Amino acid sequence: MFSSIALGPDGEANHKLAVMRGKSRTGDLKDIVKFLPGFSLHADPALRLSGQYTSPRGRILELDARMGGAGDWVGLHLSLPARSLKEVGVLGFAARTSASDTTVLRVCLRSGDGDSFTDCFFDKHLLLRPEEASHLDALPVGYRDDLPVEAAWRELILFLPTEDFRLALIDLRVFMV
């Protein structure tokens, strides 16, 4: 059962993720894949990304990715409609993940105005391994120079490997307190 009640920017983002968990879907990977409005994968075209994704009921996303070239970035982008962080002390996320091989990811909060943006990376690296693992990280909003309090748009971005990989984003939740 899904509720349409979203009490804030984190509620809206978490609702998108709940929709992903609630319905099975499958497809091909390519440079841009829009899973839902506000949740997508973007890859450097030079990578020539291919492979498959699945979103089994109860999980957000499983990726089996192949690179046909060399490139600089692959990212899962989750829109976070939090234009102002004036009333926010901490912004963070919790994730459950696994991967066929030990893999390290970086996560950032991207804040933008027009075509320019600023990336504020979370302090901890996200470690994926064959066993299911949990991760929690948070940004203290008032204490980071690279995190603008006001922005026209924001995204939580998980930067994925630029070499072949198999991984599962079992669950992801965003919080703002």
Side-chain angles (χ1 to χ4, degrees):
M1 179 176 137
F2 292 105
S3 172
S4 63
I5 298 173
L7 301 177
D10 52 344
E12 186 174 322
N14 288 326
H15 179 73
K16 289 175 196 166
L17 296 168
V19 170
M20 285 295 292
R21 283 190 303 275
K23 183 179 177 185
S24 294
R25 59 192 88 218
T26 309
D28 295 325
L29 291 176
K30 52 190 174 190
D31 295 347
I32 298 175
V33 180
K34 294 184 181 184
F35 304 111
L36 290 173
F39 186 54
S40 57
L41 181 139
H42 297 260
D44 183 342
L47 285 169
R48 297 192 319 268
L49 176 65
S50 64
Q52 295 284 314
Y53 73 86
T54 59
S55 178
R57 190 170 180 83
R59 288 181 170 228
I60 293 177
L61 200 55
E62 295 177 357
L63 301 170
D64 185 358
R66 303 287 171 252
M67 309 303 158
D72 295 322
W73 45 267
V74 179
L76 278 175
H77 294 243
L78 176 64
S79 174
L80 187 60
R83 299 182 92 160
S84 176
L85 299 178
K86 284 181 182 176
E87 303 297 321
V88 176
V90 176
L91 184 148
F93 72 96
R96 277 195 345 235
T97 59
S98 67
S100 59
D101 298 310
T102 300
T103 305
V104 177
L105 307 181
R106 295 292 315 268
V107 180
C108 81
L109 180 66
R110 179 168 286 175
S111 303
D113 285 303
D115 290 335
S116 66
F117 60 85
T118 303
D119 286 345
C120 180
F121 281 88
F122 286 82
D123 292 330
K124 299 177 192 173
H125 288 70
L126 180 54
L127 177 66
L128 285 69
R129 56 184 191 218
E131 306 83 26
E132 186 175 315
S134 296
H135 179 87
L136 178 70
D137 204 351
L139 295 169
V141 173
Y143 300 97
R144 297 291 298 259
D145 293 334
D146 54 352
L147 180 55
V149 175
E150 300 288 335
W153 54 268
R154 297 188 201 271
E155 294 179 317
L156 183 74
I157 303 174
L158 283 72
F159 285 98
L160 306 176
T162 55
E163 297 178 354
D164 296 356
F165 64 85
R166 290 181 62 207
L167 65 81
L169 180 58
I170 299 162
D171 202 0
L172 178 65
R173 312 286 171 114
V174 179
F175 60 89
M176 296 169 58
V177 291

